[in-house]
Amino acid sequence: MSEFRIHHDVNELLSLLHVRGGDGAEVYIDLLQKNRTPYVTTTVSAHSAKVKIVEYSKTPEDFLRKYDELKSKNVRNLDPLVYLLSKLSEDKETLQCLQQNAKERSEASGNVTSSTSTTFAIPPTSTKMSMQELEELRKKLGNVTACSNVPQSAEVTRKMLRDRHNKKNPTQPNPVFPNWVYDRPALIGDFITGATPAGGDPAVAVGTMSLPAQEQALVDDLLFVLIGVDGRDITAQPVLGRQNRSFIVDPSLDMSIKELVNRILPVASYYSTITRFTEEKSSFEYGQVNHALTAAMRTLMKEYLILVTQLEHLHRQGMLSLQKLWFYIQPTMRTMEILASIASSVDKGDCMGGSTLSLLHDRTFNYTGDSQAQELCLYLTKAASVPYFEILEKWIYRGIIKDPYSEFMVEEHELQKEKIQEDYNDKYWDQRYTIVQHRIPSFLQKMADKILSTGKYLNVVRECGRDVTCPDAKEILYTLKERAYVEQIEKSYYYASKVLLDFLMEEKELVARLRSIKHYFLMDKGDFFVHFMDLTEEELKKPVDDIVPPRLEALLELALRMSTANTDPFKDDLKIDLMPHDVITQLLRVLAIETKQEKAIINADPTEVALSGLEAFSFDYIVKWPLSLIINRKALTRYQMLFRHIFYCKHVERLLCNVWISNKTAKQYALHRAKWFAAAFALRQRMLNFVQNIQYYMMFEVMEPTWHIMENNLKSASNIDDVLCHHTSFLDNCLKDCMLTNPELLKIFSKLMSVCVMFTNCMQRFTQSMKLDREMNRLSLEHGTMEGPPTQSERTVEQEKKRLTSKFLAEHMDALQSDSCFEATISKFDSNFSTLLLDLLDKLSVYSTNDCEHSMINIIYRLDFNGFYTERLERMAIERRQKAAA
């Protein structure tokens, strides 16, 4: 179960229990994640669990009745649910909590219930009810009971199934039987209520006859009733919904004969149930599996009808008594009972396709020890599974789904593979073909994932224009020995895995493509990036709205051609992308998905600060089908986030290096002014050390080792799902170890980068003002030049330059000395940087210890290589422990 599924289920449970306040779902999700077992228990014994629940239940009969009803409907996961309920019943604290919760909910909804429920004016018990009042009350109760118990008619069900199919396949409507098939009840073969009963003269009561005459009359009636026709003295009762057929026998009949008749009548009830089932489920709307099942049942019913015909022949010859009839019918009774039981279970559970096969398979196993019953169920299951296995064979041998009645375990969804490159949330690989749990036959449950993957692999190759068919294709037949078709499915799975993997790795050069992406998004080509940043530095300083993308594309092309990246055969697929958000905002939006902050962040007003080209810049990459299955938009977005993170760090490093170059001007000033620069030089060196070590850590301690692990894993991958898993794991580990999945660390790191950028801007302005000061002193032309004294026009020009320079210098000096002096400004930068850096190191220490993120501790070792921050970090840890203890 994925973390998102756990999150959803916990929220649903909290909503159902009306739990408010507290720590929300996150606490429970963490507990479940830490305590869940690494394996899935698929089989749970429900017998002992049922016994425990019955012991604790106040109404055990109702519980057992409901359990049997759900079991007859073949409800999935019923036994695990009962097991969970038995565990809850043992926990007294949980029981008290649930009882209190139920009490509060019932009190809260009491008013609503009283206002909406149906009420009847029942007279007080002390007064007698008149016949009119009694009849009116009976009608009201009858109407309510009928409304609540009458199931949907067969016509409504057929129409619903037909509409659902036509909506899914509008070009292939379901064939429909003509209306007269349903309008003529005599064609069905079941009892027709209200029809004239067969038999002799109804005026003569059977009770007035002699015993031999009564027996012959009842034999005659039974032969009619056994084939769905009412007799004279035995008549069928109307059935409501899925009830079993019952009969009314003339009460004046002799008791001995009546007892024998009642023993034979269940066969007629079974016949009625089977006939109604076969007539209803043979419609096209109920699918091919049910159609095949009804055909097999009809075949068995022929033997029954032949037997009844033979008995009738004996009766005509006067050789059939009631005892002989009972003797001849007994062997058939067991068969009819099993068929009727299966028909009722399929009908009650609204089973179709895989669920019908699951029910038949379970029945076959349940009859172990009864060879006749097991053989009968095995025959029905084999017959019903033929159309299902035909769909399965096309799927696992050719990657084609031909499922006109939505019975197969794999469902196809209309998705466009082109969206993989456009939509971040597109899940083509996961959602184009999906497993529908209730359609999986229980005997294929363990192989469901392999069946899904096999067809998906072959389907991808087919969509690339290749016709593939498994060379080991054989007909799959149902058998109690599951290994027979399990081996066939595994053979086709390994073939499909190899075909697709070879296609992607060799013909489409997947590893070479990933290596090309690594060159650019993970800054593998150093000379290319130096050249590119030199070429685009001025362009990327502009606001993003002022940048001309074609110019950036041209500069990218120039940098590619003039560096070692020119040897990359896929370099033309690299493109420029100007993002609408800076990298921090983008990361926080992604991290907020499936959390409480998601709506707040999405609905937040966009920042009013215009993005610069550097903040919005990113690469994009063109990937075509079928490589887009692996390098989809989600993967490219992760690459982009890593690239933008490193790219911005590289940009800050260049700014700090430019400050180092410009700071050499300080050597030309007086000693007391140079002292002012000492603190700035030290701070600049600390910032540069921080940025360079962070870059080194990310590129050489995170990305390179993780990349080599992924490359080795790809060599040993056996299928495309392994490739997807290894690639996703590589990106997830890079994002996590680069501190991009932790909002707390990300915000601190963002502030540190901002302090570095503000410091470089401040230093550049101060250095520029020093240069202007020196230039102003140099602009004196009183002594003229070697060509003679300056002319009047030259003096005018120089005086104007001097005036403008003085004005510019005054403006910048005012800006620098707004905090009283330059030394105070540098001291504030130092304080902010040190505080944030210590905060970052402290948080890294906590995460590396508590969450076992051991790779992050390498940042501490690199930044605190000489123990400069150790004492302060230890002091912060002591204070944190004291707060926790308090």
Side-chain angles (χ1 to χ4, degrees), residues 377-622:
C377 290
L378 186 60
Y379 167 77
L380 292 175
T381 311
K382 281 183 177 180
S385 65
V386 169
Y388 193 91
F389 279 138
E390 286 177 356
I391 303 172
L392 176 64
E393 287 167 14
K394 286 184 180 178
W395 175 245
I396 65 173
Y397 293 153
R398 300 187 62 194
I400 299 173
I401 282 190
K402 191 175 181 181
D403 181 23
Y405 303 103
S406 301
E407 299 173 282
F408 191 50
M409 69 173 76
V410 179
E411 187 173 38
E412 181 179 9
H413 304 277
E414 291 296 327
L415 295 175
Q416 298 177 358
K417 57 178 178 286
E418 290 76 13
K419 286 188 176 181
I420 298 179
Q421 275 297 294
E422 301 169 6
D423 186 5
Y424 174 83
N425 287 318
D426 185 74
K427 297 180 179 178
Y428 180 90
W429 181 251
D430 296 327
Q431 294 184 355
R432 172 70 191 279
Y433 296 102
T434 56
I435 288 284
V436 183
Q437 285 295 329
H438 67 272
R439 296 185 197 167
I440 305 174
S442 55
F443 53 88
L444 292 178
Q445 183 74 48
K446 296 177 182 177
M447 303 298 294
D449 290 333
K450 283 193 175 181
I451 291 171
L452 173 66
S453 300
T454 303
K456 282 167 67 175
Y457 297 161
L458 295 176
N459 186 265
V460 170
V461 181
R462 285 180 60 82
E463 293 204 3
C464 294
R466 288 189 170 191
D467 190 14
V468 287
T469 304
C470 179
D472 298 323
K474 294 180 182 178
E475 185 181 6
I476 302 176
L477 298 173
Y478 174 80
T479 172
L480 289 176
K481 298 177 181 178
E482 296 182 8
R483 193 64 200 166
Y485 45 77
V486 166
E487 288 178 357
Q488 199 59 35
I489 292 169
E490 286 180 343
K491 285 180 183 178
S492 58
Y493 171 75
Y494 292 131
Y495 168 77
S497 303
K498 187 176 185 304
V499 166
L500 181 57
L501 197 60
D502 292 346
F503 182 68
L504 289 177
M505 291 292 190
E506 296 174 10
E507 187 170 332
K508 297 299 180 181
E509 301 176 289
L510 174 62
V511 177
R513 281 279 183 179
L514 291 174
R515 198 173 289 121
S516 173
I517 290 175
K518 177 174 178 278
H519 291 334
Y520 308 116
F521 286 87
L522 304 185
M523 294 195 177
D524 199 353
K525 297 286 186 182
D527 63 322
F528 159 71
F529 276 99
V530 172
H531 195 48
F532 176 74
M533 293 182 81
D534 288 340
L535 288 173
T536 59
E537 186 171 11
E538 293 302 321
E539 188 73 17
L540 291 178
K541 284 181 180 178
K542 300 177 184 178
V544 68
D545 295 333
D546 297 340
I547 293 177
V548 182
R551 177 171 172 75
L552 274 182
E553 294 280 359
L555 294 174
L556 172 63
E557 182 77 13
L558 182 62
L560 286 169
R561 303 299 176 193
M562 296 179 64
S563 64
T564 55
N566 192 38
T567 59
D568 182 12
F570 309 115
K571 62 181 177 295
D572 293 332
D573 291 329
L574 187 67
K575 301 297 176 186
I576 296 292
D577 191 11
L578 295 175
M579 309 293 284
H581 307 285
D582 61 88
V583 63
I584 304 300
T585 305
Q586 182 187 14
L587 285 163
L588 291 176
R589 287 170 70 94
V590 172
L591 293 174
I593 293 174
E594 300 288 338
T595 65
K596 295 178 181 178
Q597 292 79 22
E598 180 177 12
K599 289 184 179 179
I601 290 180
I602 291 175
N603 297 330
D605 295 332
T607 177
E608 296 179 0
V609 180
L611 290 178
S612 67
L614 279 162
E615 293 172 319
F617 177 76
S618 181
F619 283 142
D620 201 359
Y621 202 83
I622 299 173

